[in-house]
Amino acid sequence: MRNRPLNRPPTGRRRVALALSALLGGTTLVAVPMSAPAAAAGGLAVQYRTSASGATADQSEPWFKVRNTGSAAVQLSQVRIRYYFKADSASTTYRFACSWAVKGCANVTGTFGTLAHPTGTADRYLEIGFTSTAGALAPGTDTGDMQLRFYQSNWQSVNQADDYSFNGAQTSYADWNKVTAQLAGTTVWGTAPEGNDPTDPTDPTDPPGGGQALFDDFTYSSYTDPAISAHGWNVRSNSGGPGVPGATWDPSKVTFPTVSGNSVMNLRTSTSGTAESTRQTEVVSKSMKFKNGTYAARVKFADAPESGPDGDHLVQTFFTINDLTAPMADDYAEYDFEYLPNGGWGETGNILYTTSWETYNPDPWQAVNQHTEARQSYAGWHDLVLTIDNSSIKYYIDGQLFGTHDAQYLPERPMSINFNQWLIDLAGQTSTAARAYDEQVDYVLHVKDQVLTPAQVASKVAAYRSAGTAFVDEVPTP
């Protein structure tokens, strides 16, 4: 049974625990819709200066300006800058802050990553990005000042003398090629430490170790196929939430048709407008053994039913989760892709949420989470990628960064991998005619403790399929 908030919106709008949220730093709600493709003629240059020039300092203060050197406008949401440095110790954690920015600090993001190929002057990087509301850069214009800083979480002094991207003598803005800039996933400025080009497919920008994978192409004959259980999956039949109280979780509604020559998993949810007639579907990994690393699935969302009248408050999902051991327990974790084609939770139209949960209390309702949303149709096939490392949670859709969530929401315990499709309620329409909705899943992939780019995910999946590998599970059980 899925132990999660029942019939609750990701925002926790009904009764958010404001006092608790404030105590924990609050939730951050950021709207990041899908970005338009970057112009092929785009180019960038990065200027850098430091306002903390000492070999040691209370905090590092790299300030930047990004200039559009191309002939077409550049969407800032597709720009990423990396500043490379050497951690003061292997266990050191860092925090990012924006002191001031012409574009507005609310439009500037900062996350930390670990290099796959450490050098004598770099084993970490700070990646600067922009939200969709940062706008665009016209040819020949720049972002203006971005006065940024980062520091050890325990506020010990930082040693900058051995940091690859640091230049204590550069106290006024000038071009600096020891930071890199990416535009729509392609490096267009700067030189990374040797072996660590951000767009080099051999550089997964992940922490050392790990790499064990789960891959399933969902090549099964039916929900009764014994290989499903042998491969670690449970097709749900037990009662309970989420969804319409009294609805049935029907394993027979999970089928494995062939689509374009490839087997897919089809989850069908149906209703005639009553709880007794409602059939919902869920497939869950039996083991909670998945934590940091990369999660990916190719999922087909649907705006309209396969048959019958439209309008139900439907939720189509791909997510990871563990159990809530007690109300507001701080070791709870859940990371969701949830698509609502007909609205619900107070929404009236298409909306897709990605949500990272810290904890919740089911009664009275309290929620501590962070979410990103986009109000548009996502009907059709989409490549969904979720990455979790020691600094942040990132969600990608079709190769584009959709949302970055904070370290506060990182998991403390391993989780299961789940897919389900269910109805929030029966208030979306009043018809008693039968209708049925389908969500399809092409494959699922998890790579333990390694952060892969969406391109690397696609390459890994293609390699499995080229080798004729329909299933592999190397991920150890804790």
Side-chain angles (χ1 to χ4, degrees), residues 16-253:
V16 178
L18 296 178
L20 177 68
S21 178
L23 179 65
L24 296 178
T27 60
T28 304
L29 308 180
V30 182
V32 184
M34 293 291 288
S35 301
L44 301 173
V46 180
Q47 292 191 322
Y48 156 83
R49 60 157 291 189
T50 180
S51 64
S53 58
T56 60
D58 291 336
Q59 55 189 346
S60 293
E61 298 187 39
W63 295 9
F64 299 109
K65 291 181 181 179
V66 181
R67 184 174 181 81
N68 179 0
T69 60
S71 58
V74 167
Q75 294 296 323
L76 280 171
S77 60
Q78 297 209 336
V79 174
R80 295 289 180 270
I81 307 165
R82 285 190 181 178
Y83 178 95
Y84 301 90
F85 64 98
K86 187 173 179 64
D88 292 284
S89 73
S91 61
T92 302
T93 58
Y94 294 89
R95 296 288 181 264
F96 165 79
C98 173
S99 298
W100 187 80
V102 171
K103 289 291 183 180
C105 281
N107 292 318
V108 180
T109 64
T111 57
F112 296 95
T114 304
L115 292 179
H117 306 291
T119 70
T121 58
D123 54 14
R124 307 276 184 94
Y125 60 84
L126 169 64
E127 182 171 280
I128 304 303
F130 301 87
T131 70
S132 62
T133 54
L137 281 183
T141 66
D142 64 44
T143 59
D145 254 346
M146 291 188 291
Q147 299 179 9
L148 312 178
R149 53 192 172 90
F150 66 95
Y151 52 92
Q152 290 197 46
S153 57
N154 60 7
W155 280 104
Q156 296 296 307
S157 296
V158 295
N159 175 24
Q160 303 188 99
D162 59 356
D163 291 351
Y164 177 85
S165 295
F166 173 70
N167 183 357
Q170 196 155 310
T171 56
S172 59
Y173 279 114
D175 287 355
W176 188 238
N177 66 3
K178 285 194 171 183
V179 296
T180 57
Q182 293 173 266
L183 178 58
T186 299
T187 301
V188 295
W189 174 267
T191 303
E194 184 176 0
N196 291 285
D197 187 317
T199 52
D200 183 344
T202 65
D203 168 28
T205 64
D206 55 68
Q212 299 97 331
L214 164 72
F215 172 74
D216 200 334
D217 210 16
F218 296 114
T219 306
Y220 301 110
S221 58
S222 73
Y223 76 98
T224 61
D225 190 330
I228 295 176
S229 180
H231 289 170
W233 298 106
N234 177 52
V235 183
R236 181 176 175 179
S237 60
N238 58 292
S239 62
V244 174
T248 298
W249 293 91
D250 189 345
S252 71
K253 299 295 184 180

Side-chain angles (χ1 to χ4, degrees), residues 2-22:
R2 186 185 183 196
N3 190 346
R4 67 146 290 165
L6 307 183
N7 295 322
R8 303 293 188 179
T11 54
R13 290 190 188 98
R14 296 191 179 182
R15 284 179 295 218
V16 178
L18 296 178
L20 177 68
S21 178

Side-chain angles (χ1 to χ4, degrees), residues 343-392:
W345 292 329
E347 297 290 332
T348 58
N350 314 103
I351 189 167
L352 188 145
Y353 293 103
T354 60
T355 310
S356 301
W357 290 83
E358 170 65 17
T359 190
Y360 72 98
N361 184 8
D363 190 20
W365 177 245
Q366 299 174 335
V368 182
N369 63 31
Q370 183 176 5
H371 88 277
T372 302
E373 64 192 36
R375 291 174 176 84
Q376 65 182 69
S377 172
Y378 283 90
W381 285 103
H382 296 283
D383 295 307
L384 311 179
V385 176
L386 159 69
T387 66
I388 304 173
D389 60 18
N390 290 324
S391 62
S392 66

